[in-house]
Amino acid sequence: AGILTPAQGEVLVHGRPTRTLPRPILAQELAFVPQRTSPAFAFTVREMVLMGRHPYAGLSLFESEEDLECAQKAMEEVGVAHLADKPFDTLSGGEQQLVVLARALAQGTSILLLDEPISFLDLRHQWEVLRLLETRAAAGQTILATFHDLNLAARWCHRVGILSQGELRAVGTPQNVFTTARLREVYGVAVEVVQAPDGRLRVELP
């Protein structure tokens, strides 16, 4: 997302190094959903989502009709439109996470980065968010997310990677990466990887 400087190598977005891209241009290509968001002021939900339109503002100090429409559509897509006038800091952790996701969707980027996007959500909202992300990926949006729940990663991700002690241990399909031997080695737990009748993987603890 261009927030940190790589210790080595470069991060490219559409072939261009993030360090050379002006922030507004990068923000038109890539949106980031962090684990937690703590705004300095008591913004409403609508104002928070409209922040996703900032890369397109130019010299304008006011939102355009297009900005308002994009924000409304994103709130409806995520299911927080009924909270539009509520202060962001009065919402639950799960509601705040949905609002920040709506802000990223309103940004209208081709790439979406998410850090533990469902960590504060109940089961129903987890499923709804993951279905939404799956639909967007099928429509061509590139989505990169971090998960601690390996079963969710195996269920929803086309490709996965395992990080351990700062090292990328494996990258590929869930079937190739999530093996019993590898997970036991990385996590130090006697897990078992089994295949469900529908072909999906399930990681089971002893």
Side-chain angles (χ1 to χ4, degrees):
I3 298 172
L4 302 176
T5 301
Q8 60 184 6
E10 286 189 317
V11 178
L12 307 179
V13 174
H14 300 309
R16 300 174 64 186
T18 56
R19 61 180 176 79
T20 67
L21 289 172
R23 295 301 300 181
I25 299 301
L26 180 60
Q28 291 177 20
E29 297 290 347
L30 181 153
F32 173 53
V33 177
Q35 285 190 35
R36 294 180 180 272
T37 301
S38 302
F41 301 98
F43 295 108
T44 66
V45 166
R46 181 180 287 106
E47 289 169 335
M48 286 291 295
V49 177
L50 278 169
M51 290 178 190
R53 302 301 302 167
H54 181 70
Y56 307 96
L59 299 178
S60 174
L61 298 177
F62 302 98
E63 299 87 5
S64 67
E65 282 297 321
E66 181 182 1
D67 294 332
L68 294 170
E69 290 175 4
C70 287
Q72 182 65 29
K73 180 180 178 182
M75 288 189 292
E76 292 174 356
E77 194 171 7
V78 175
V80 295
H82 64 291
L83 302 173
D85 297 318
K86 287 187 173 294
F88 178 79
D89 59 4
T90 66
L91 305 182
S92 69
E95 289 170 335
Q96 289 184 351
Q97 192 75 353
L98 293 174
V99 171
V100 177
L101 176 58
R103 180 179 67 184
L105 299 185
Q107 208 168 318
T109 60
S110 61
I111 302 170
L112 183 59
L113 305 182
L114 307 106
D115 188 7
E116 289 291 332
I118 57 173
S119 55
F120 297 106
L121 303 180
D122 60 31
L123 285 175
R124 180 172 70 87
H125 286 100
Q126 286 184 12
W127 186 86
E128 289 176 350
V129 166
L130 292 170
R131 277 297 300 270
L132 170 61
L133 296 178
E134 181 181 54
T135 299
R136 282 181 160 265
Q141 189 172 27
T142 298
I143 297 175
L144 178 64
T146 61
F147 292 94
H148 281 106
D149 190 321
L150 300 184
N151 286 312
L152 287 178
R155 162 65 179 84
W156 295 97
C157 298
H158 302 128
R159 288 173 58 82
V160 296
I162 290 185
L163 283 168
S164 177
Q165 303 298 318
E167 178 186 352
L168 188 61
R169 300 292 294 271
V171 178
T173 65
Q175 287 75 14
N176 290 334
V177 173
F178 290 164
T179 64
T180 296
R182 180 175 289 117
L183 295 186
R184 288 185 175 188
E185 178 187 356
V186 169
Y187 293 101
V189 179
V191 300
E192 293 288 342
V193 179
V194 299
Q195 190 165 356
D198 61 3
R200 292 172 179 157
L201 299 182
R202 186 170 68 250
V203 179
E204 297 182 346
L205 290 171

